[in-house]
Amino acid sequence: MVRRPRADILRPRCLDDLRSPVEEELNRWLGTEDEIEPALAKAMRYSVFSGGKRVRPVLALLACRVVSGHFEAALPAACAVEMIHTYSLIHDDLPCMDDDDMRRGKPTTHRVFGEAVAVLAGDALQALAFEILSDRRSGYTPEQGLRMVNELAWACGSTGMVGGQVLDIGGEVGEPELLDRLHAMKTGALFQASMRLGAIAGGGDAASVKALTEYGKEFGLAFQIADDVLDVVGDPEKTGRYAGSDVQGGRSTYPLLVGMTQSHAMAREAVERGLRALGLFNGRTGDLQELMEYVIRREG
Ligand code: GRG
């Protein structure tokens, strides 16, 4: 049996320090059982508060901080990205996709609430993300809000996450370049959006947004290679999922295509490129550096 992941002692402090503000903000935006259909409210809250690492929202806050010094402005945008991430996990676990019973060491949303409510909870989280970005209470100017809506839609729709998922279910991928493209769309686009939305919330200029986008791209690649490696060598107690599930599911992975040694080398190269992109900021990037290094040494 897979149990809940144990605390990860290698985790950078920013993931713990920024967790509370992110979770308070998530809680503020999620409807309660008095406000929306109780079954939907329960399923949405269960999925959002089931123990995610909050990497994407923390990236958005750090991007904001690096361009402006204050992370609070990015809290609504950070939550919008986490809503999209949570929706994607709910749908990804469904029987028609990966058919997973466990996520983060707990039963998946459809196992607890049934398939129909799980699909609808994912749909509602997706809509909520765009509601947050366009809500006056978020404090964004109409120009900022519109730009964020556009950026997030691009990252999570047919040009990004959903398009990448379609490539993924399309069968085996034979070349590493195609695998790079698949993951750039499926997981990388949302990491890039985290960085871009955070930078936009902080009023970053074009050069800053470009550099942080580059960081997000390399972060996504390193994250995905590490994820594939963890699928082979990870401890299910720490990853919260069954070992070897990618390979058993017929998925192409980096270790399968290029071997373990080359996978480690490719992840390291992505990390180095991502760190170089931070050069523009002359310091103030300690947390982003730490998070980038964590991506390839995390255990879950
Ligand atoms: C079904 C619309 C739809 C999209 C599915 C992103 C995606 C596309 C599916 C996610 C499934 C998956 C396991 C992808 C591999 C990498 C990944 C995104 C892992 C989970 O991200 P973490 O580790 O998750 O940040 P936590 O649990 O910490 O939130």
Side-chain angles (χ1 to χ4, degrees):
M1 199 186 86
V2 182
R3 277 184 235 114
R4 193 177 171 72
R6 281 199 305 259
D8 180 354
I9 51 159
L10 304 171
R11 187 155 58 191
R13 255 184 68 179
C14 62
L15 280 182
D16 292 323
D17 292 349
L18 295 172
R19 187 180 191 89
S20 294
V22 165
E23 298 202 333
E24 281 162 24
E25 183 79 5
L26 287 167
N27 184 46
R28 260 195 294 279
W29 285 105
L30 281 166
T32 64
E33 290 176 40
D34 297 330
E35 294 160 344
I36 57 174
E37 279 306 312
L40 189 57
K42 278 199 192 95
M44 289 166 79
R45 283 183 175 274
Y46 175 84
S47 313
V48 171
F49 290 109
S50 65
K53 294 183 289 299
R54 313 300 189 199
V55 174
R56 293 158 193 79
V58 166
L59 281 173
L61 302 188
L62 296 178
C64 180
R65 194 185 256 171
V66 98
V67 298
S68 77
H70 299 283
F71 70 80
E72 286 84 356
L75 274 172
C79 289
V81 176
E82 189 70 357
M83 300 295 181
I84 295 288
H85 169 59
T86 309
Y87 126 69
S88 81
L89 299 181
I90 299 173
H91 283 198
D92 192 59
D93 290 333
L94 288 168
C96 62
M97 299 262 181
D98 265 10
D99 195 9
D100 274 318
D101 293 339
M102 303 292 285
R103 160 85 52 192
R104 300 160 171 161
K106 292 172 77 177
T108 45
T109 307
H110 68 275
R111 297 295 296 173
V112 179
F113 298 94
E115 270 182 60
V117 171
V119 169
L120 295 167
D123 292 341
L125 286 169
Q126 177 170 211
L128 180 56
F130 294 103
E131 184 185 333
I132 293 171
L133 295 179
S134 53
D135 193 303
R136 222 177 277 143
R137 286 171 297 171
S138 294
Y140 300 130
T141 63
E143 196 189 328
Q144 273 176 317
L146 189 63
R147 190 165 162 208
M148 288 185 193
V149 164
N150 184 265
E151 298 261 356
L152 191 58
W154 188 88
C156 75
S158 54
T159 43
M161 188 178 76
V162 170
Q165 178 78 349
V166 171
L167 271 177
D168 202 9
I169 61 178
E172 266 181 44
V173 170
E175 303 114 47
E177 292 73 25
L178 199 52
L179 198 57
D180 286 351
R181 176 160 172 261
L182 186 161
H183 290 305
M185 292 170 77
K186 184 177 146 179
T187 50
L190 206 54
F191 283 119
Q192 282 196 40
S194 303
M195 301 305 290
R196 291 179 69 86
L197 264 59
I200 295 166
D205 61 15
S208 306
V209 175
K210 186 166 179 265
L212 293 170
T213 305
E214 196 55 29
Y215 171 97
K217 178 180 155 212
E218 301 301 344
F219 189 98
L221 179 60
F223 184 98
Q224 188 57 55
I225 299 172
D227 211 69
D228 285 359
V229 168
L230 277 176
D231 188 64
V232 182
V233 300
D235 172 356
E237 278 209 21
K238 292 177 182 164
T239 61
R241 66 180 193 217
Y242 299 109
S245 56
D246 285 344
V247 175
Q248 274 162 33
R251 276 234 160 84
S252 296
T253 66
Y254 285 95
L256 214 60
L257 284 192
V258 299
M260 211 48 137
T261 310
Q262 182 63 10
S263 295
H264 283 296
M266 284 172 69
R268 186 72 234 165
E269 284 162 17
V271 164
E272 294 301 332
R273 287 192 298 269
L275 293 176
R276 273 201 297 279
L278 297 176
L280 181 77
F281 300 103
N282 296 320
R284 308 195 313 272
T285 56
D287 286 331
L288 283 171
Q289 290 180 35
E290 230 184 292
L291 209 49
M292 181 65 103
E293 292 285 355
Y294 168 68
V295 160
I296 56 168
R297 59 181 162 78
R298 70 197 163 96
E299 298 178 314

